Amino acid sequence: MVQQMIADNEIDIAASRGLILQACGELDQGRSGAQSTAIAKTFTAEAVWRVVDRSLQICGSLGISGEVLLSRFLREVRPFRIYDGPSETHRWTIARRVVRRHLDARPAGARP
Ligand SMILES: Cc1cc2nc3c(=O)[nH]c(=O)nc-3n(C[C@H](O)[C@H](O)[C@H](O)COP(=O)(O)OP(=O)(O)OC[C@H]3O[C@@H](n4cnc5c(N)ncnc54)[C@H](O)[C@@H]3O)c2cc1C
């Protein structure tokens, strides 16, 4: 079970890195990056919480004690899901852009 938590941490970190690189690439190309930054922000803000939470779980009571930094990290990463827009509002904008993209892609005759 510990191996699974370590592997899941690596998956979350790798996926976050990939999403951040994609968003940075779009911004470097002068594109808006609105959708990719919202996706990267939402995913990474939640992934970092999962990574710290699993790491704390692996360490047991030592993890939640003040003897290691994990309980401090937990408190420090929790606001990631709130500041720069809470996850709910990012999901709202992500979904809105997806729906808009599909509506715009309809053939002219199929539009109301
Ligand atoms: C540590 C920290 C640092 C910050 N630093 C800065 C900074 O440097 N500059 C700055 O400008 N601001 C900063 N903020 C403010 C931050 O951007 C706001 O806290 C954030 O945008 C959420 O606004 P709010 O706190 O008013 O919560 P509210 O807007 O009242 O939202 C409360 C909760 O309601 C839910 N919610 C809100 N809107 C929706 C919606 N449309 N749909 C569904 N659910 C929704 C979410 O769960 C949200 O967490 C910081 C906040 C924190 C905690």
Side-chain angles (χ1 to χ4, degrees):
M1 287 201 185
V2 168
Q3 285 176 328
Q4 180 175 350
M5 286 193 272
I6 292 171
D8 285 345
N9 278 358
E10 283 300 295
I11 292 166
D12 267 336
I13 292 167
S16 298
R17 191 171 284 135
L19 289 170
I20 291 168
L21 283 173
Q22 182 176 336
C24 291
E26 287 182 23
L27 293 172
D28 281 347
Q29 291 165 18
R31 294 160 62 191
S32 130
Q35 187 75 331
S36 60
T37 55
I39 290 172
K41 196 276 177 184
T42 307
F43 186 88
T44 305
E46 295 176 3
V48 72
W49 170 265
R50 291 192 295 268
V51 168
V52 175
D53 185 58
R54 286 188 204 107
S55 304
L56 195 150
Q57 187 71 18
I58 290 168
C59 293
S61 61
L62 179 65
I64 202 70
S65 76
E67 289 182 45
V68 293
L69 290 172
L70 286 165
S71 59
R72 200 182 101 191
F73 291 163
L74 204 62
R75 181 169 171 75
E76 286 182 0
V77 303
R78 183 59 184 84
F80 290 6
R81 285 153 55 191
I82 297 174
Y83 56 48
D84 196 25
S87 294
E88 288 86 352
T89 57
H90 279 289
R91 283 194 166 83
W92 171 58
T93 60
I94 291 165
R96 209 172 44 164
R97 285 192 206 95
V98 171
V99 172
R100 170 65 48 209
R101 192 173 66 223
H102 284 280
L103 290 177
D104 290 347
R106 285 179 306 175
R111 294 179 198 169

